[in-house]
Amino acid sequence: MQKQLSPDTGCSDEDLSPYHISHQQFERATRHLEGLKQGLIDFFSYPKRVISTCFPVEMDDGSVQTFHGYRVLHNTVLGPGKGGMRFHPCVDEDEVVALATLMTWKCALVKVPFGGAKGGVACDAKALSQGELRRITRRFITELGDNIGPHTDIPAPDMYTNAQTMAWIYDTYDMMHPGKNNRPVVTGKPLEMGGSPGREDATARGCLYVTERFLSLSPIEGLGSLQGTRVVIQGYGQVGSFAARLFSEAGAQIIAVSDSQGGIASLNGGLDVPAVEAWKREHGTVVGLPETRTITNQDLLSQECDILIPAALGNQIKADNADQIKARLIVEAANRPITPEADDILTERGVYILPDILANAGGVTVSYYEWVQNNENQEWPLEDVNRKLRDKMFHATDAVIDRWRRFPSETPEGSDIRTDLRTAAMVVAIERVAHLTLVRGIWP
Ligand code: NAD
């Protein structure tokens, strides 16, 4: 796919194209990789394979609707493709390509032997019944055919997909390939179907370990641990709700949270996290919990706090609101929540950002552990999974901080070469994939 990498879409002052943003982040990192050959830069700039499909599904009322689905494989140098399946109205080819690319760097950074992939269907999952979601999933997986598989491309959950969706994916693939151990075709499955202990909260737990490690090593004055820190979380789904629970158990005060319907802030002290969970379960939103103040998602982002955890959509912190952020540290539980222009504003203001490819890599890490267990027909104890996850997150954080600390001495005075944690993480990841590409040799 030969795309024009024009600097601006022309639709808004800030270029919010996921594809352009992904390319900008890559380009910033390559400025630190002088030895990286142009041939490899070109190779990494484009996805290896893009599948775009549309298919009909019969709805509950008997009508037929056509849906658009995508599955993108960005790079397979490290191993088979790995990446989530997203069901959201904004899913399009550009977004899926950008997220697949991100997965390549994420897997390389945490050293799991997978390449980058991503998929999704453009649909409003919240407005669909379970039966409709099941038919969309089954039909989409059938359309993908042998382009997914235990050793080719392995889906996982993402926004508005969950363990149930993964169970349907497994079952559909298994119907098409009877008589084989097909469990490793998908991760994030229900526990009783070969899911891994610890997968459910792995992304949030990874965020926690990365944050704890960073704070223990970091230069943020007066912020040496999570104890007593004030934390704000945007998004209260699979990642955000577990982040609230785990950060609060680790001693932080969760002072505000939100979902697609709005946010709530505590009146004093921290929110009662089990009460927020119960309210969300009962009412489908966090909004309205007694003894809290209702706020908008914009208010939420600009709350006075120590740590802000975006755990919802991309492009939430942009050029037009980056200067309102009062957090000292942003932990990117979501994928691509901060635009490059906002990155610059925040870095300039001394706000630290633990980037998505590090902060939310706990999910793919435990997905990898699930895949290993499925291949071996084993089930590991939860403590083993969490211990392995913590070790991986600590190592990855150390690698990023080590690279980041070496930047200032490498950067010529007056240069605009960026020296933020995202660029450091990208440099580490790109170096690894580039090295392995050359060790394998270019086929034939
Ligand atoms: P989810 O569907 O379980 O939850 C999404 C949450 O975001 C919901 O609470 C929803 O109400 C909220 N939301 C949607 N639109 C919003 C808006 N405009 N403002 C505020 N909140 C909004 O999804 P998830 O699995 O928790 O994923 C969240 C983010 O984390 C995504 O960016 C995803 O790519 C990323 N991520 C997820 C995983 C994983 O294991 N699930 C792994 C890595 C990264």
Side-chain angles (χ1 to χ4, degrees):
M1 186 184 61
Q2 292 294 319
K3 282 209 169 235
Q4 287 300 311
L5 298 172
S6 66
D8 200 320
T9 57
C11 312
S12 94
D13 286 348
E14 189 176 9
D15 184 352
L16 300 180
S17 149
Y19 186 78
H20 292 166
I21 289 176
S22 146
H23 203 270
Q24 248 174 294
Q25 291 172 344
F26 174 69
E27 196 270 329
R28 284 178 170 184
T30 58
R31 285 193 244 161
H32 291 270
L33 290 163
E34 274 179 13
L36 187 63
K37 294 195 168 67
Q38 188 58 43
L40 287 188
I41 293 177
D42 291 344
F43 176 46
F44 297 155
S45 296
Y46 298 101
K48 183 180 169 67
R49 186 184 72 197
V50 177
I51 297 171
S52 166
T53 173
C54 71
F55 51 90
V57 172
E58 190 172 337
M59 311 306 283
D60 288 349
D61 64 3
S63 66
V64 173
Q65 264 186 40
T66 298
F67 291 89
H68 293 263
Y70 308 88
R71 186 72 191 173
V72 172
L73 199 54
H74 173 255
N75 186 288
T76 53
V77 167
L78 263 60
K82 188 86 193 80
M85 288 288 200
R86 178 176 286 203
F87 285 2
H88 192 272
C90 294
V91 165
D92 63 15
E93 189 178 310
D94 257 18
E95 182 184 69
V96 180
V97 169
L99 291 168
T101 310
L102 199 75
M103 285 304 292
T104 298
W105 310 132
K106 198 183 293 186
C107 292
L109 184 63
V110 286
K111 291 192 176 174
V112 298
F114 289 136
K118 201 78 178 187
V121 177
C123 65
D124 183 2
K126 281 196 289 188
L128 295 164
S129 71
Q130 285 296 294
E132 289 166 339
L133 286 168
R134 177 167 44 78
R135 292 195 290 281
I136 291 170
T137 306
R138 285 196 186 284
R139 178 68 194 242
F140 179 46
I141 295 305
T142 312
E143 294 284 335
L144 293 180
D146 281 340
N147 290 297
I148 63 164
H151 300 285
T152 50
D153 183 1
I154 304 138
D158 194 77
M159 285 194 81
Y160 297 105
T161 60
N162 52 28
Q164 176 60 76
T165 328
M166 301 306 115
W168 293 329
I169 293 179
Y170 163 72
D171 187 67
T172 307
Y173 187 86
D174 195 54
M175 290 295 114
M176 292 159 65
H177 302 83
K180 297 192 177 117
N181 172 17
N182 290 314
R183 286 188 164 187
V185 69
V186 65
T187 59
K189 299 179 292 294
L191 207 50
E192 60 276 27
M193 196 183 271
S196 177
R199 175 62 184 88
E200 207 182 22
D201 69 5
T203 305
R205 191 174 287 280
C207 277
L208 173 78
Y209 291 150
V210 165
T211 308
E212 286 185 326
R213 186 65 168 183
F214 179 69
L215 292 182
S216 74
L217 301 170
S218 90
I220 309 187
E221 220 182 294
L223 214 59
S225 82
L226 279 176
Q227 204 57 44
T229 51
R230 294 160 309 151
V231 174
V232 167
I233 302 175
Q234 185 197 42
Y236 214 73
Q238 184 70 17
V239 181
S241 63
F242 278 112
R245 196 190 295 179
L246 294 172
F247 276 73
S248 130
E249 283 169 5
Q253 279 192 337
I254 313 301
I255 59 164
V257 297
S258 71
D259 58 33
S260 59
Q261 297 183 48
I264 51 170
S266 66
L267 296 177
N268 50 46
L271 293 165
D272 176 351
V273 174
V276 181
E277 277 175 24
W279 186 266
K280 168 91 180 164
R281 237 188 340 267
E282 195 180 335
H283 301 271
T285 175
V286 295
V287 177
L289 177 70
E291 291 168 52
T292 62
R293 188 164 51 89
T294 301
I295 55 174
T296 64
N297 261 295
Q298 275 316 308
D299 295 337
L300 177 112
L301 294 173
S302 55
Q303 291 288 302
E304 190 82 52
C305 65
D306 299 305
I307 301 175
L308 172 62
I309 307 182
L313 301 166
N315 291 342
Q316 294 300 295
I317 303 173
K318 309 190 292 265
D320 61 8
N321 64 354
D323 59 353
Q324 290 153 31
I325 303 293
K326 301 192 186 72
R328 301 171 74 194
L329 171 66
I330 303 178
V331 182
E332 291 187 327
N335 285 315
R336 294 185 19 260
I338 304 178
T339 66
E341 279 189 44
D343 251 347
D344 288 345
I345 295 167
L346 293 162
T347 304
E348 183 80 15
R349 290 183 44 219
V351 178
Y352 292 89
I353 299 164
L354 287 170
D356 43 15
I357 61 169
L358 174 66
N360 70 34
V364 74
T365 301
V366 176
S367 273
Y368 166 56
Y369 297 151
E370 180 174 330
W371 182 81
V372 174
Q373 292 170 74
N374 291 163
N375 275 303
E376 295 173 348
N377 276 316
Q378 295 283 334
E379 184 179 320
W380 301 348
L382 175 63
E383 310 76 64
D384 287 9
V385 173
N386 286 344
R387 180 179 37 78
K388 284 173 194 282
L389 172 64
R390 194 195 54 209
D391 290 351
K392 260 217 187 297
M393 291 298 113
F394 278 15
H395 278 127
T397 310
D398 292 354
V400 172
I401 293 178
D402 176 60
R403 195 69 187 81
W404 174 62
R405 289 202 163 126
R406 278 161 37 212
F407 273 152
S409 58
E410 291 173 2
T411 308
E413 212 157 310
S415 156
D416 70 342
I417 293 183
R418 295 167 48 77
T419 56
D420 59 308
L421 290 156
R422 185 187 316 283
T423 305
M426 287 286 288
V427 165
V428 173
I430 296 167
E431 266 172 351
R432 285 183 186 156
V433 183
H435 173 70
L436 202 62
T437 308
L438 296 177
V439 171
R440 283 179 64 152
I442 304 294
W443 178 262

